[in-house]
Amino acid sequence: MSKLHLGVLGSGSGSNMQSIVDAIEAGTLDADVRLVLADVADAKILDRAKRHNIPCRYLDCAPWKTKLEGPAEDRCIELLREAGVDTVVLAGFMRIVKPGLLAAFPMRVLNIHPALLPAFPGVHSWTQALDYGCKVAGVTVHFVDAGTDTGPIIVQKAVPVLEDDTPETLHARIQEQEHIAFPEALRLLAAGRCRVEGRRVRIAR
Ligand code: GRF
């Protein structure tokens, strides 16, 4: 068992970060959030962090629009290290992270993706699942590797696709499961129960 010191990177509403903070405050996750960084200056995730007195700041990632690279990546790593972060949580961070961050926190960067990977990587995956005619959709929490949404899977949760679903209703159902899945994956990590063997994450009993 080892308490996790989390750094959260986000771009939007921060509901996943909220679920992690709620789990910590409820005493069901042995962790603290040391720092929240957002690449969008007015992202709601920063307001949520402030409400919980969690250090947070805007990280200017220019000139890149879709990745975290160069001086912004260096700065990000520096800030996370200064804050004593040992585990990086991508909670709706709409950028591709590069090898520099992954090397700084080896097998300690986790992402949440709103699909049952390897189906529907990339953006708007719930719409992709709906358009494809899937009867089941879901969410995946995984370690991040050099690919996009390709790293070893820690937790998955399935949700049904209902006859009258719209992208919005399906996404909302998936998000309910996200808020269970992310704290669950972090709990496994904190308990030292995840062992990565190639593509597989073995979960110790
Ligand atoms: C979630 O749907 C997550 O799966 C995806 O981005 C969204 C972030 O939502 N990666 P929030 O900012 O945590 O509310």
Side-chain angles (χ1 to χ4, degrees):
M1 297 283 276
S2 64
K3 179 171 181 157
L4 303 178
H5 301 306
L6 305 175
V8 179
L9 308 190
S11 306
S13 122
S15 69
N16 279 285
M17 183 206 66
Q18 186 72 56
S19 73
I20 293 165
V21 170
D22 290 347
I24 293 170
E25 291 183 354
T28 62
L29 172 60
D30 191 18
D32 55 13
V33 179
R34 295 286 178 101
L35 181 64
V36 174
L37 296 173
D39 64 336
V40 175
D42 60 353
K44 255 182 76 182
I45 193 170
L46 294 173
D47 300 328
R48 289 186 195 261
K50 283 177 202 150
R51 281 206 289 280
H52 291 269
N53 295 316
I54 297 168
C56 62
R57 58 196 291 172
Y58 164 61
L59 181 72
D60 185 357
C61 296
W64 294 282
K65 291 199 178 354
T66 57
K67 56 188 179 179
L68 176 65
E69 200 168 26
E73 184 191 52
D74 294 344
R75 183 80 184 119
C76 179
I77 294 167
E78 185 181 297
L79 289 168
L80 293 168
R81 282 192 171 138
E82 275 172 16
V85 165
D86 58 33
T87 305
V88 180
V89 167
L90 307 182
F93 188 56
M94 300 306 286
R95 285 175 185 270
I96 293 168
V97 297
K98 292 289 178 177
L101 182 77
L102 301 179
F105 298 94
M107 290 317 272
R108 280 284 177 171
V109 182
L110 277 69
N111 182 45
I112 187 152
H113 183 75
L116 292 173
L117 291 170
F120 310 123
V123 295
H124 300 303
S125 42
W126 58 92
T127 306
Q128 293 185 55
L130 200 56
D131 291 348
Y132 195 88
C134 293
K135 302 298 187 194
V136 176
V139 55
T140 303
V141 181
H142 63 94
F143 288 111
V144 178
D145 66 6
T148 302
D149 301 325
T150 53
I153 292 169
I154 307 168
V155 168
Q156 287 188 308
K157 304 269 178 211
V159 304
V161 178
L162 304 181
E163 281 308 315
D164 53 358
D165 261 336
T166 62
E168 291 72 28
T169 59
L170 180 56
H171 189 214
R173 194 173 311 113
I174 290 170
Q175 280 228 293
E176 279 176 24
Q177 292 304 311
E178 291 185 357
H179 301 157
I180 297 169
F182 224 155
E184 186 175 315
L186 291 168
R187 236 173 255 130
L188 292 171
L189 198 65
R193 292 177 57 196
C194 300
R195 186 165 45 88
V196 182
E197 272 179 25
R199 280 221 50 84
R200 294 183 74 177
V201 179
R202 299 284 192 174
I203 308 291
R205 286 174 195 272

